[in-house]
Amino acid sequence: MKKKTKRWLITIGGILTLVVVGIVGAGLYFFQVAVVPSPKAFLSKDQKITKASTLYPAQQWYQSANKQHWYETATSDNLKLDAYYIPAVKHTKKTAVIAHGFMGNKDKMYQYAYMFHQLGYNVLLPDDRAHGESQGKYIGYGWLDKGDYVKWIKQVIAKNGNDSQIVMFGTSMGGATTMMVSGESNVPKQVKAYIEDCGYTSVYDEIKYEAQELYHLPEWPMVPVVSAISKVKAGYSFGQASALKQVKKNHKPMLFIHGSDDHFVPTKMVYPLYHATKGPKELLIVKGAAHAKAYETDPQLYTNTVREFLARYID
């Protein structure tokens, strides 16, 4: 009887060990997919811009724009960060700081740089850590980047003057980054407003959603396991990286934008974010727009909304 019990315990222990090893192995795989920069099969490929595209004027302008390299050091790991600065045609103290999306870079934000340039702003386009020409091993999803953007903002003020008027803008991961910055206590007073486009409520919520949508995986145990691996390797957990918690601490004006047909960061995420902020706010839902396609879908509505929103808070 004792031998049978021992064999049973060994068998159960072996099975549990295999299960744990399998879960950890899968967790490490999905950590690579989610947090380590590399080509991602689930991301749509860049489309070719033709003359008929609503993005064509922006692309043509960006190719010949006066782009100056700026550099910054990250708030941790001593990483070297890279950005383009594009001065306005006419001297101005107004600057837009633009945050890009997941596996994006400064060059992929050309349409928004064009929009702000047309509105008379200087434009700063940083590459997030582990993106573009910036150094880094792990994607920060805005959480690791929020302090970096505060440093970029301070560099704008140092170079352009204490009377600078700054708006921070971002799409997708950049939208979440913008909201995460809004909750920081050391944001300079020169930041007058925020505009976020299709940002997520938290990294946990977004990873959980994508695990279900892309891989048909339940939340438990994979998302908590990958989050724990991220905490050890990258220095943050998914639940910790919450735009919702950050925006609750914001008292400055914020414009929220989302496409009605967003199935990557679902449209429903924008509503708790909009209701959470404590400052003046506005919400634009662009009908028929997919993820990060609101500007492309209706550039006139998008630009007019941004112009009218900022006119109330920036001279």
Side-chain angles (χ1 to χ4, degrees), residues 9-283:
L9 290 173
I10 290 171
T11 301
I12 294 297
I15 293 171
L16 289 175
T17 299
L18 287 173
V19 169
V20 170
V21 169
I23 290 172
V24 172
L28 287 167
Y29 169 78
F30 284 110
F31 172 79
Q32 289 285 126
V33 171
V35 185
V36 177
S38 64
K40 308 296 181 184
F42 56 85
L43 295 179
S44 58
K45 295 181 180 179
D46 293 337
Q47 65 190 71
K48 185 177 181 180
I49 305 301
T50 66
K51 289 185 178 180
S53 171
T54 55
L55 299 180
Y56 184 76
Q59 185 192 61
Q60 293 301 298
W61 165 80
Y62 186 75
Q63 287 175 355
S64 59
N66 174 22
K67 297 185 278 287
Q68 304 170 9
H69 265 292
W70 281 20
Y71 302 99
E72 188 54 83
T73 304
T75 49
S76 62
D77 305 324
N78 218 27
L79 301 171
K80 185 178 180 181
L81 306 176
D82 187 276
Y84 280 149
Y85 177 79
I86 304 174
V89 173
K90 295 182 180 179
H91 178 75
T92 182
K93 294 295 185 178
K94 300 187 298 184
T95 301
V97 177
I98 297 177
H100 63 74
F102 178 81
M103 291 312 300
N105 58 54
K106 54 184 178 286
D107 290 330
K108 292 186 178 181
M109 301 300 283
Y110 65 87
Q111 64 270 52
Y112 308 108
Y114 172 77
M115 176 186 71
F116 281 107
H117 194 262
Q118 292 293 103
L119 295 176
Y121 284 72
N122 308 307
V123 177
L124 182 68
L125 297 151
D127 279 335
D128 285 9
R129 54 177 68 202
H131 290 77
E133 296 180 84
S134 290
Q135 296 177 339
K137 292 170 57 180
Y138 301 117
I139 298 167
Y141 280 97
W143 194 252
L144 297 182
D145 311 286
K146 62 187 188 302
D148 300 340
Y149 274 89
V150 172
K151 292 187 75 173
W152 282 119
I153 288 165
K154 289 179 178 179
Q155 185 175 159
V156 169
I157 296 165
K159 291 181 174 177
N160 290 357
N162 284 329
D163 53 350
S164 292
Q165 299 183 81
I166 296 169
V167 55
M168 183 168 175
F169 169 94
T171 61
S172 193
M173 185 178 80
T177 305
T178 297
M179 291 185 281
M180 290 174 184
V181 169
S182 78
E184 293 296 278
S185 60
N186 62 339
V187 175
K189 64 180 181 181
Q190 287 84 351
V191 175
K192 303 301 181 182
Y194 298 96
I195 301 174
E196 78 82 23
D197 182 344
C198 61
Y200 38 78
T201 47
S202 72
V203 178
Y204 192 97
D205 291 342
E206 181 60 16
I207 297 296
K208 179 177 73 172
Y209 175 81
E210 292 305 328
Q212 294 168 345
E213 289 294 307
L214 296 176
Y215 302 100
H216 308 291
L217 291 172
E219 174 185 355
W220 181 265
M222 197 50 59
V223 178
V225 167
V226 179
S227 177
I229 293 170
S230 177
K231 181 67 174 179
V232 172
K233 285 182 166 286
Y236 68 98
S237 68
F238 294 163
Q240 178 185 8
S242 172
L244 183 60
K245 290 178 182 177
Q246 287 291 98
V247 83
K248 286 178 180 179
K249 296 183 280 185
N250 173 57
H251 292 271
K252 292 184 177 180
M254 186 173 291
L255 169 61
F256 298 82
I257 303 172
H258 224 103
S260 68
D261 289 356
D262 193 334
H263 302 294
F264 194 79
V265 176
T267 308
K268 65 182 181 181
M269 281 194 184
V270 75
Y271 298 106
L273 292 164
Y274 172 77
H275 291 301
T277 189
K278 301 298 191 294
K281 55 192 170 183
E282 186 175 336
L283 174 62

